[in-house]
Amino acid sequence: MRKKIVAGNWKMNMELEEGLNLVKSINQYFTDKPSVRCEVIVCPPYIHLASVNQILKNGKVRAGAQNCASEKSGAYTGEVSAPMIKSTGAEYVIIGHSERRTYYNEDNRILNKKTILALGAGLKVIFCCGEVKEERESGKYFEVVRTQLEEGLFTLKPEEITNVVIAYEPVWAIGTGLTATPEQAQEMHEYIRSLIKGKYGSVIAENITILYGGSCKPSNAAEIFSKPDVDGGLIGGASLKKEDFIAIVEAV
Ligand code: PGA
């Protein structure tokens, strides 16, 4: 059985105290509920990661970063490296989020480099892919996602890809209130799994976790997560509210 995961991507939200309060209550909730078998991850801004990990030390919830540098160390003012993230106790890093691709011009080559560095530092990678609205409308979405995966991930060795979680996030659904239909999500997830199978074989393909992201909320989560190739979600806006985030995790 492959792992089910719900990860909260806080983006550039939450000051220290409110973030720590949110993490405390989420961690308490899930630590007291061993029946929830889904892995729960919070991805706060870098600056909160060490404090968040102090809280999570003995709990069930894990932490991840939202990005990492494309270099390992050195004179890169303002950057945060994968080994630094690992040193805070974080287990995951999100790479290739559409906001990074769009606002910071991160292309597949850079994302591939970041992925290799992150895995080398002992982090697990949540690798995002997804098409923009025009690509959906013109029917190019399979091709776009295939290129993102081929160039971003498919240089990895089999023993590396097993530490990657894929997040399919149609860009037109992120923060817009528009959600992919469960059928659109399933169709793409099935396609992604077939690409993994073609490259790495059926055992790895069956075991890789593929998350859906884009305006996921308590009211639509259960239906999307009920699809056979959807193994959980990457949650933006709704991860900032304790009740909503918990309800989404419980929908898995
Ligand atoms: P959203 O964001 O849930 O606010 O649409 C998802 C994401 O960007 O990961």
Side-chain angles (χ1 to χ4, degrees), residues 61-95:
V61 173
R62 322 250 181 243
Q66 300 171 15
N67 178 31
C68 70
S70 57
E71 303 295 334
K72 204 169 175 180
S73 66
Y76 300 97
T77 303
E79 288 294 276
V80 175
S81 72
M84 290 174 193
I85 293 167
K86 178 72 181 173
S87 75
T88 67
E91 283 182 36
Y92 286 87
V93 58
I94 299 172
I95 291 181

PDB file of all heavy atoms in Angstrom, residues 61-95:
ATOM      1  N   VAL A  61       3.185  14.771  13.344  1.00  0.00           N
ATOM      2  CA  VAL A  61       3.233  15.623  12.154  1.00  0.00           C
ATOM      3  C   VAL A  61       4.688  15.874  11.755  1.00  0.00           C
ATOM      4  O   VAL A  61       5.570  15.935  12.610  1.00  0.00           O
ATOM      5  CB  VAL A  61       2.489  16.955  12.456  1.00  0.00           C
ATOM      6  CG1 VAL A  61       2.636  17.955  11.328  1.00  0.00           C
ATOM      7  CG2 VAL A  61       1.013  16.678  12.740  1.00  0.00           C
ATOM      8  N   ARG A  62       4.942  15.990  10.442  1.00  0.00           N
ATOM      9  CA  ARG A  62       6.305  16.255   9.945  1.00  0.00           C
ATOM     10  C   ARG A  62       6.365  17.652   9.327  1.00  0.00           C
ATOM     11  O   ARG A  62       5.325  18.231   9.012  1.00  0.00           O
ATOM     12  CB  ARG A  62       6.667  15.270   8.850  1.00  0.00           C
ATOM     13  CG  ARG A  62       6.165  13.890   9.089  1.00  0.00           C
ATOM     14  CD  ARG A  62       7.311  12.979   9.391  1.00  0.00           C
ATOM     15  NE  ARG A  62       6.823  11.641   9.586  1.00  0.00           N
ATOM     16  CZ  ARG A  62       6.932  10.984  10.733  1.00  0.00           C
ATOM     17  NH1 ARG A  62       7.492  11.530  11.778  1.00  0.00           N
ATOM     18  NH2 ARG A  62       6.478   9.756  10.850  1.00  0.00           N
ATOM     19  N   ALA A  63       7.597  18.120   9.124  1.00  0.00           N
ATOM     20  CA  ALA A  63       7.731  19.452   8.537  1.00  0.00           C
ATOM     21  C   ALA A  63       8.540  19.416   7.250  1.00  0.00           C
ATOM     22  O   ALA A  63       9.392  18.544   7.048  1.00  0.00           O
ATOM     23  CB  ALA A  63       8.401  20.398   9.532  1.00  0.00           C
ATOM     24  N   GLY A  64       8.247  20.382   6.389  1.00  0.00           N
ATOM     25  CA  GLY A  64       8.996  20.524   5.147  1.00  0.00           C
ATOM     26  C   GLY A  64       9.206  21.987   4.820  1.00  0.00           C
ATOM     27  O   GLY A  64       8.501  22.855   5.340  1.00  0.00           O
ATOM     28  N   ALA A  65      10.175  22.252   3.957  1.00  0.00           N
ATOM     29  CA  ALA A  65      10.398  23.619   3.472  1.00  0.00           C
ATOM     30  C   ALA A  65       9.649  23.786   2.148  1.00  0.00           C
ATOM     31  O   ALA A  65       9.220  22.811   1.538  1.00  0.00           O
ATOM     32  CB  ALA A  65      11.893  23.862   3.285  1.00  0.00           C
ATOM     33  N   GLN A  66       9.528  25.021   1.726  1.00  0.00           N
ATOM     34  CA  GLN A  66       8.772  25.320   0.491  1.00  0.00           C
ATOM     35  C   GLN A  66       9.664  25.458  -0.734  1.00  0.00           C
ATOM     36  O   GLN A  66       9.180  25.649  -1.855  1.00  0.00           O
ATOM     37  CB  GLN A  66       7.984  26.620   0.667  1.00  0.00           C
ATOM     38  CG  GLN A  66       6.993  26.579   1.810  1.00  0.00           C
ATOM     39  CD  GLN A  66       6.396  27.949   2.091  1.00  0.00           C
ATOM     40  OE1 GLN A  66       6.503  28.860   1.286  1.00  0.00           O
ATOM     41  NE2 GLN A  66       5.772  28.089   3.252  1.00  0.00           N
ATOM     42  N   ASN A  67      10.977  25.387  -0.497  1.00  0.00           N
ATOM     43  CA  ASN A  67      11.934  25.642  -1.575  1.00  0.00           C
ATOM     44  C   ASN A  67      13.307  25.326  -1.012  1.00  0.00           C
ATOM     45  O   ASN A  67      13.457  25.153   0.209  1.00  0.00           O
ATOM     46  CB  ASN A  67      11.839  27.135  -1.948  1.00  0.00           C
ATOM     47  CG  ASN A  67      12.820  27.546  -3.035  1.00  0.00           C
ATOM     48  OD1 ASN A  67      13.184  26.760  -3.914  1.00  0.00           O
ATOM     49  ND2 ASN A  67      13.251  28.798  -2.984  1.00  0.00           N
ATOM     50  N   CYS A  68      14.331  25.241  -1.857  1.00  0.00           N
ATOM     51  CA  CYS A  68      15.706  25.228  -1.357  1.00  0.00           C
ATOM     52  C   CYS A  68      16.594  25.833  -2.438  1.00  0.00           C
ATOM     53  O   CYS A  68      16.168  26.003  -3.584  1.00  0.00           O
ATOM     54  CB  CYS A  68      16.167  23.816  -0.983  1.00  0.00           C
ATOM     55  SG  CYS A  68      16.407  22.718  -2.385  1.00  0.00           S
ATOM     56  N   ALA A  69      17.812  26.160  -2.045  1.00  0.00           N
ATOM     57  CA  ALA A  69      18.738  26.782  -2.997  1.00  0.00           C
ATOM     58  C   ALA A  69      19.185  25.771  -4.049  1.00  0.00           C
ATOM     59  O   ALA A  69      19.131  24.554  -3.831  1.00  0.00           O
ATOM     60  CB  ALA A  69      19.963  27.316  -2.242  1.00  0.00           C
ATOM     61  N   SER A  70      19.680  26.283  -5.168  1.00  0.00           N
ATOM     62  CA  SER A  70      20.183  25.389  -6.208  1.00  0.00           C
ATOM     63  C   SER A  70      21.692  25.160  -6.064  1.00  0.00           C
ATOM     64  O   SER A  70      22.316  24.579  -6.942  1.00  0.00           O
ATOM     65  CB  SER A  70      19.865  25.959  -7.585  1.00  0.00           C
ATOM     66  OG  SER A  70      20.420  27.249  -7.705  1.00  0.00           O
ATOM     67  N   GLU A  71      22.255  25.637  -4.960  1.00  0.00           N
ATOM     68  CA  GLU A  71      23.666  25.379  -4.654  1.00  0.00           C
ATOM     69  C   GLU A  71      23.731  24.824  -3.236  1.00  0.00           C
ATOM     70  O   GLU A  71      22.848  25.064  -2.431  1.00  0.00           O
ATOM     71  CB  GLU A  71      24.489  26.674  -4.736  1.00  0.00           C
ATOM     72  CG  GLU A  71      24.427  27.391  -6.077  1.00  0.00           C
ATOM     73  CD  GLU A  71      25.052  26.602  -7.236  1.00  0.00           C
ATOM     74  OE1 GLU A  71      25.934  25.763  -6.984  1.00  0.00           O
ATOM     75  OE2 GLU A  71      24.625  26.838  -8.379  1.00  0.00           O
ATOM     76  N   LYS A  72      24.853  24.145  -2.943  1.00  0.00           N
ATOM     77  CA  LYS A  72      24.945  23.475  -1.654  1.00  0.00           C
ATOM     78  C   LYS A  72      25.342  24.422  -0.523  1.00  0.00           C
ATOM     79  O   LYS A  72      24.850  24.326   0.601  1.00  0.00           O
ATOM     80  CB  LYS A  72      25.982  22.352  -1.766  1.00  0.00           C
ATOM     81  CG  LYS A  72      25.791  21.254  -0.765  1.00  0.00           C
ATOM     82  CD  LYS A  72      26.683  20.082  -1.129  1.00  0.00           C
ATOM     83  CE  LYS A  72      26.626  18.985  -0.103  1.00  0.00           C
ATOM     84  NZ  LYS A  72      27.494  17.871  -0.501  1.00  0.00           N
ATOM     85  N   SER A  73      26.267  25.341  -0.807  1.00  0.00           N
ATOM     86  CA  SER A  73      26.696  26.307   0.207  1.00  0.00           C
ATOM     87  C   SER A  73      27.510  27.389  -0.488  1.00  0.00           C
ATOM     88  O   SER A  73      27.814  27.270  -1.678  1.00  0.00           O
ATOM     89  CB  SER A  73      27.578  25.631   1.270  1.00  0.00           C
ATOM     90  OG  SER A  73      28.786  25.201   0.671  1.00  0.00           O
ATOM     91  N   GLY A  74      27.836  28.427   0.242  1.00  0.00           N
ATOM     92  CA  GLY A  74      28.726  29.441  -0.312  1.00  0.00           C
ATOM     93  C   GLY A  74      28.112  30.822  -0.367  1.00  0.00           C
ATOM     94  O   GLY A  74      27.172  31.143   0.348  1.00  0.00           O
ATOM     95  N   ALA A  75      28.676  31.669  -1.235  1.00  0.00           N
ATOM     96  CA  ALA A  75      28.312  33.084  -1.278  1.00  0.00           C
ATOM     97  C   ALA A  75      27.054  33.290  -2.116  1.00  0.00           C
ATOM     98  O   ALA A  75      27.115  33.683  -3.285  1.00  0.00           O
ATOM     99  CB  ALA A  75      29.482  33.874  -1.858  1.00  0.00           C
ATOM    100  N   TYR A  76      25.918  32.973  -1.527  1.00  0.00           N
ATOM    101  CA  TYR A  76      24.613  33.131  -2.196  1.00  0.00           C
ATOM    102  C   TYR A  76      23.677  33.838  -1.220  1.00  0.00           C
ATOM    103  O   TYR A  76      22.825  33.211  -0.574  1.00  0.00           O
ATOM    104  CB  TYR A  76      24.052  31.764  -2.620  1.00  0.00           C
ATOM    105  CG  TYR A  76      24.969  31.045  -3.576  1.00  0.00           C
ATOM    106  CD1 TYR A  76      25.859  30.081  -3.125  1.00  0.00           C
ATOM    107  CD2 TYR A  76      24.987  31.397  -4.928  1.00  0.00           C
ATOM    108  CE1 TYR A  76      26.733  29.456  -4.001  1.00  0.00           C
ATOM    109  CE2 TYR A  76      25.861  30.776  -5.807  1.00  0.00           C
ATOM    110  CZ  TYR A  76      26.738  29.815  -5.338  1.00  0.00           C
ATOM    111  OH  TYR A  76      27.604  29.203  -6.203  1.00  0.00           O
ATOM    112  N   THR A  77      23.899  35.134  -1.069  1.00  0.00           N
ATOM    113  CA  THR A  77      23.182  35.915  -0.067  1.00  0.00           C
ATOM    114  C   THR A  77      21.673  35.698  -0.136  1.00  0.00           C
ATOM    115  O   THR A  77      21.076  35.800  -1.206  1.00  0.00           O
ATOM    116  CB  THR A  77      23.498  37.410  -0.267  1.00  0.00           C
ATOM    117  OG1 THR A  77      24.914  37.568  -0.183  1.00  0.00           O
ATOM    118  CG2 THR A  77      22.821  38.279   0.777  1.00  0.00           C
ATOM    119  N   GLY A  78      21.109  35.384   1.024  1.00  0.00           N
ATOM    120  CA  GLY A  78      19.654  35.254   1.109  1.00  0.00           C
ATOM    121  C   GLY A  78      19.127  33.864   0.809  1.00  0.00           C
ATOM    122  O   GLY A  78      17.932  33.618   0.967  1.00  0.00           O
ATOM    123  N   GLU A  79      19.995  32.958   0.388  1.00  0.00           N
ATOM    124  CA  GLU A  79      19.523  31.614   0.033  1.00  0.00           C
ATOM    125  C   GLU A  79      19.583  30.653   1.227  1.00  0.00           C
ATOM    126  O   GLU A  79      20.303  30.885   2.202  1.00  0.00           O
ATOM    127  CB  GLU A  79      20.368  31.044  -1.110  1.00  0.00           C
ATOM    128  CG  GLU A  79      20.097  31.706  -2.437  1.00  0.00           C
ATOM    129  CD  GLU A  79      18.686  31.443  -2.938  1.00  0.00           C
ATOM    130  OE1 GLU A  79      18.457  30.400  -3.557  1.00  0.00           O
ATOM    131  OE2 GLU A  79      17.795  32.276  -2.698  1.00  0.00           O
ATOM    132  N   VAL A  80      18.852  29.566   1.146  1.00  0.00           N
ATOM    133  CA  VAL A  80      18.823  28.542   2.191  1.00  0.00           C
ATOM    134  C   VAL A  80      19.053  27.183   1.523  1.00  0.00           C
ATOM    135  O   VAL A  80      18.327  26.804   0.598  1.00  0.00           O
ATOM    136  CB  VAL A  80      17.463  28.558   2.927  1.00  0.00           C
ATOM    137  CG1 VAL A  80      17.380  27.426   3.933  1.00  0.00           C
ATOM    138  CG2 VAL A  80      17.251  29.905   3.637  1.00  0.00           C
ATOM    139  N   SER A  81      20.080  26.478   1.989  1.00  0.00           N
ATOM    140  CA  SER A  81      20.447  25.227   1.308  1.00  0.00           C
ATOM    141  C   SER A  81      19.674  24.022   1.846  1.00  0.00           C
ATOM    142  O   SER A  81      19.152  24.051   2.969  1.00  0.00           O
ATOM    143  CB  SER A  81      21.942  24.966   1.492  1.00  0.00           C
ATOM    144  OG  SER A  81      22.185  24.578   2.837  1.00  0.00           O
ATOM    145  N   ALA A  82      19.685  22.973   1.056  1.00  0.00           N
ATOM    146  CA  ALA A  82      19.028  21.727   1.471  1.00  0.00           C
ATOM    147  C   ALA A  82      19.639  21.168   2.770  1.00  0.00           C
ATOM    148  O   ALA A  82      18.888  20.780   3.677  1.00  0.00           O
ATOM    149  CB  ALA A  82      19.105  20.704   0.333  1.00  0.00           C
ATOM    150  N   PRO A  83      20.987  21.132   2.916  1.00  0.00           N
ATOM    151  CA  PRO A  83      21.519  20.622   4.193  1.00  0.00           C
ATOM    152  C   PRO A  83      21.086  21.472   5.397  1.00  0.00           C
ATOM    153  O   PRO A  83      20.892  20.951   6.500  1.00  0.00           O
ATOM    154  CB  PRO A  83      23.048  20.692   3.995  1.00  0.00           C
ATOM    155  CG  PRO A  83      23.237  20.627   2.509  1.00  0.00           C
ATOM    156  CD  PRO A  83      22.063  21.341   1.922  1.00  0.00           C
ATOM    157  N   MET A  84      20.919  22.792   5.200  1.00  0.00           N
ATOM    158  CA  MET A  84      20.431  23.630   6.309  1.00  0.00           C
ATOM    159  C   MET A  84      19.009  23.239   6.700  1.00  0.00           C
ATOM    160  O   MET A  84      18.678  23.179   7.880  1.00  0.00           O
ATOM    161  CB  MET A  84      20.414  25.112   5.906  1.00  0.00           C
ATOM    162  CG  MET A  84      21.764  25.725   5.760  1.00  0.00           C
ATOM    163  SD  MET A  84      21.497  27.392   5.101  1.00  0.00           S
ATOM    164  CE  MET A  84      23.161  27.767   4.634  1.00  0.00           C
ATOM    165  N   ILE A  85      18.197  22.996   5.703  1.00  0.00           N
ATOM    166  CA  ILE A  85      16.806  22.585   5.971  1.00  0.00           C
ATOM    167  C   ILE A  85      16.812  21.277   6.757  1.00  0.00           C
ATOM    168  O   ILE A  85      16.147  21.133   7.773  1.00  0.00           O
ATOM    169  CB  ILE A  85      16.039  22.425   4.637  1.00  0.00           C
ATOM    170  CG1 ILE A  85      15.888  23.786   3.968  1.00  0.00           C
ATOM    171  CG2 ILE A  85      14.683  21.762   4.844  1.00  0.00           C
ATOM    172  CD1 ILE A  85      15.432  23.724   2.516  1.00  0.00           C
ATOM    173  N   LYS A  86      17.616  20.353   6.287  1.00  0.00           N
ATOM    174  CA  LYS A  86      17.719  19.048   6.960  1.00  0.00           C
ATOM    175  C   LYS A  86      18.174  19.231   8.413  1.00  0.00           C
ATOM    176  O   LYS A  86      17.680  18.552   9.321  1.00  0.00           O
ATOM    177  CB  LYS A  86      18.705  18.176   6.174  1.00  0.00           C
ATOM    178  CG  LYS A  86      18.972  16.821   6.750  1.00  0.00           C
ATOM    179  CD  LYS A  86      17.799  15.883   6.578  1.00  0.00           C
ATOM    180  CE  LYS A  86      18.114  14.523   7.198  1.00  0.00           C
ATOM    181  NZ  LYS A  86      16.949  13.648   7.200  1.00  0.00           N
ATOM    182  N   SER A  87      19.084  20.163   8.633  1.00  0.00           N
ATOM    183  CA  SER A  87      19.636  20.348   9.987  1.00  0.00           C
ATOM    184  C   SER A  87      18.609  20.885  10.979  1.00  0.00           C
ATOM    185  O   SER A  87      18.829  20.843  12.185  1.00  0.00           O
ATOM    186  CB  SER A  87      20.873  21.259   9.939  1.00  0.00           C
ATOM    187  OG  SER A  87      20.481  22.615   9.742  1.00  0.00           O
ATOM    188  N   THR A  88      17.475  21.415  10.495  1.00  0.00           N
ATOM    189  CA  THR A  88      16.434  21.874  11.426  1.00  0.00           C
ATOM    190  C   THR A  88      15.556  20.723  11.900  1.00  0.00           C
ATOM    191  O   THR A  88      14.704  20.899  12.761  1.00  0.00           O
ATOM    192  CB  THR A  88      15.485  22.901  10.751  1.00  0.00           C
ATOM    193  OG1 THR A  88      14.721  22.235   9.727  1.00  0.00           O
ATOM    194  CG2 THR A  88      16.227  24.074  10.156  1.00  0.00           C
ATOM    195  N   GLY A  89      15.726  19.553  11.269  1.00  0.00           N
ATOM    196  CA  GLY A  89      14.864  18.410  11.599  1.00  0.00           C
ATOM    197  C   GLY A  89      13.764  18.220  10.566  1.00  0.00           C
ATOM    198  O   GLY A  89      12.961  17.295  10.674  1.00  0.00           O
ATOM    199  N   ALA A  90      13.713  19.082   9.561  1.00  0.00           N
ATOM    200  CA  ALA A  90      12.685  18.938   8.522  1.00  0.00           C
ATOM    201  C   ALA A  90      12.964  17.686   7.691  1.00  0.00           C
ATOM    202  O   ALA A  90      14.116  17.287   7.521  1.00  0.00           O
ATOM    203  CB  ALA A  90      12.673  20.162   7.619  1.00  0.00           C
ATOM    204  N   GLU A  91      11.904  17.078   7.186  1.00  0.00           N
ATOM    205  CA  GLU A  91      12.070  15.848   6.403  1.00  0.00           C
ATOM    206  C   GLU A  91      11.816  16.043   4.917  1.00  0.00           C
ATOM    207  O   GLU A  91      12.206  15.221   4.101  1.00  0.00           O
ATOM    208  CB  GLU A  91      11.095  14.780   6.906  1.00  0.00           C
ATOM    209  CG  GLU A  91      11.541  14.136   8.191  1.00  0.00           C
ATOM    210  CD  GLU A  91      10.577  13.042   8.625  1.00  0.00           C
ATOM    211  OE1 GLU A  91      10.026  12.322   7.771  1.00  0.00           O
ATOM    212  OE2 GLU A  91      10.376  12.928   9.845  1.00  0.00           O
ATOM    213  N   TYR A  92      11.072  17.100   4.595  1.00  0.00           N
ATOM    214  CA  TYR A  92      10.616  17.281   3.208  1.00  0.00           C
ATOM    215  C   TYR A  92      11.007  18.643   2.666  1.00  0.00           C
ATOM    216  O   TYR A  92      11.262  19.582   3.431  1.00  0.00           O
ATOM    217  CB  TYR A  92       9.091  17.183   3.130  1.00  0.00           C
ATOM    218  CG  TYR A  92       8.536  15.788   3.268  1.00  0.00           C
ATOM    219  CD1 TYR A  92       8.256  15.249   4.526  1.00  0.00           C
ATOM    220  CD2 TYR A  92       8.282  15.007   2.141  1.00  0.00           C
ATOM    221  CE1 TYR A  92       7.732  13.965   4.653  1.00  0.00           C
ATOM    222  CE2 TYR A  92       7.753  13.724   2.261  1.00  0.00           C
ATOM    223  CZ  TYR A  92       7.484  13.210   3.511  1.00  0.00           C
ATOM    224  OH  TYR A  92       6.973  11.940   3.634  1.00  0.00           O
ATOM    225  N   VAL A  93      10.973  18.758   1.343  1.00  0.00           N
ATOM    226  CA  VAL A  93      11.056  20.077   0.707  1.00  0.00           C
ATOM    227  C   VAL A  93      10.176  20.043  -0.552  1.00  0.00           C
ATOM    228  O   VAL A  93      10.178  19.059  -1.296  1.00  0.00           O
ATOM    229  CB  VAL A  93      12.519  20.487   0.397  1.00  0.00           C
ATOM    230  CG1 VAL A  93      13.228  19.479  -0.498  1.00  0.00           C
ATOM    231  CG2 VAL A  93      12.572  21.867  -0.251  1.00  0.00           C
ATOM    232  N   ILE A  94       9.410  21.111  -0.730  1.00  0.00           N
ATOM    233  CA  ILE A  94       8.608  21.260  -1.953  1.00  0.00           C
ATOM    234  C   ILE A  94       9.517  21.854  -3.030  1.00  0.00           C
ATOM    235  O   ILE A  94      10.203  22.854  -2.777  1.00  0.00           O
ATOM    236  CB  ILE A  94       7.419  22.220  -1.713  1.00  0.00           C
ATOM    237  CG1 ILE A  94       6.481  21.686  -0.624  1.00  0.00           C
ATOM    238  CG2 ILE A  94       6.648  22.463  -3.016  1.00  0.00           C
ATOM    239  CD1 ILE A  94       5.390  22.681  -0.202  1.00  0.00           C
ATOM    240  N   ILE A  95       9.543  21.249  -4.185  1.00  0.00           N
ATOM    241  CA  ILE A  95      10.353  21.785  -5.294  1.00  0.00           C
ATOM    242  C   ILE A  95       9.483  21.903  -6.540  1.00  0.00           C
ATOM    243  O   ILE A  95       8.686  21.015  -6.844  1.00  0.00           O
ATOM    244  CB  ILE A  95      11.600  20.897  -5.543  1.00  0.00           C
ATOM    245  CG1 ILE A  95      12.558  21.048  -4.349  1.00  0.00           C
ATOM    246  CG2 ILE A  95      12.310  21.278  -6.856  1.00  0.00           C
ATOM    247  CD1 ILE A  95      13.839  20.275  -4.441  1.00  0.00           C
TER     248      ILE A  95
END
